[in-house]
Amino acid sequence: MTLQPRCEDVETAEGVALTVTGVAQVKIMTEKELLAVACEQFLGKNVQDVKNVVLQTLEGHLRSILGTLTVEQIYQDRDQFAKLVREVAAPDVGRMGIEILSFTIKDVYDKVDYLSSLGKTQTAAVRRDADIGVAEAERDAGIREAECKKEMLDVKFMADTKIADSRRAFELQKAAFTEEVNIKTAEAQLAYELQSAREQQKIRQEEIEIEVVQRKKQIDVEEKEIIRKEKELIATVKRPAEAEAYRIQQIAEGEKVRRVLLAQAEAEKIRKIGEAEAFVIEAIGMAEAERMKLKAEALQSYGEAAQLALVLDALPEIAAKVAAPLSRVDEIVVLSGESGNVTSEVNRLLAEIPASVRAITGVDLTKIPLIQKATGAQA
């Protein structure tokens, strides 16, 4: 259980009224005898009643202890105060079967500003002592600082004197060293320049030798390049030119032979064609002669009537060939000097046909009775 005992305006040993608040943790003991005591004490009471009994007991002891202590003891040593309360109250609550687990002081204050005045007084005293200590420390520090400055100036003067002596000796030694260094530097520079000139001369001589070697190599390369170009010209110009000339020559000779062979072949062809044509003409002539001979013999054997039949068969073809040009004429106009008509003109033309056929074929159509009749009537 957690209890907060509080005592208000309780006078201390010096008569200063204080209000103190604490916090206590308590429990009921579990041992059989003590537990039996607790049961006897609190039988029939609830938890709040138990808390009130224990709280009043703690507050009573707290009041009694506050009356025996000063404000400074209470305020400055709270742990000791809480320990004292716990030790005084523990036997009483223990006889009730209650054990105090812990007790601490939560708050301490007063209504007359005694604690704040006590703090101010202490603060002022501390500040006073601090200011005195600071002043004494500053005084001692100033004295010590002056002594240190005097010692510092003495040491500085002695040090400056030694520094000046050392600097002068250093400058003298430095001048000697510089002179010696300059002499050695000049000698080294002269030796360096001489050696550099020698090295430059050697380098130049080697460069000349290298240039000579390079020039020789360049000449060799140029000669080889000339030879290569000559071979290249021979390979790319001369040889192709000779090959081209040989090719042209061979082409010309081949063309010549071709033309001769073509001419010979053409002549042979013409001769063969002539022979063939002559043979054909001869054969055609012989065949025509044989045909005419056979035709003549046939005509002779047939007599005049057969010849007339042949002529009559040929007349339509002759008439067609004669009239062929007239087939392309759209209109024919017959002009006659005499006062006649178309019929008389047609009759006149028909009367002239036998004479024309006799002139062409040698056949006299006037011997045909029908034609004799027609021509006779016409006459």
Side-chain angles (χ1 to χ4, degrees), residues 28-70:
I28 296 175
M29 295 181 182
T30 57
E31 289 82 357
K32 289 184 178 181
E33 296 179 357
L34 298 176
L35 182 60
V37 172
C39 292
E40 183 181 352
Q41 292 289 329
F42 302 111
L43 185 65
K45 296 182 179 180
N46 57 25
V47 176
Q48 188 60 42
D49 293 336
V50 175
K51 285 184 178 182
N52 290 333
V53 171
V54 177
L55 181 60
Q56 290 175 4
T57 302
L58 291 175
E59 287 179 350
H61 288 293
L62 182 59
R63 287 177 179 273
S64 63
I65 293 172
L66 282 173
T68 62
L69 299 175
T70 63

Side-chain angles (χ1 to χ4, degrees), residues 150-170:
K150 180 178 179 301
E151 293 176 358
M152 181 189 68
L153 291 175
D154 292 340
V155 173
K156 184 175 181 300
F157 176 75
M158 293 176 65
D160 290 341
T161 303
K162 290 181 179 181
I163 290 171
D165 293 339
S166 299
R167 183 174 295 171
R168 181 174 63 255
F170 171 74

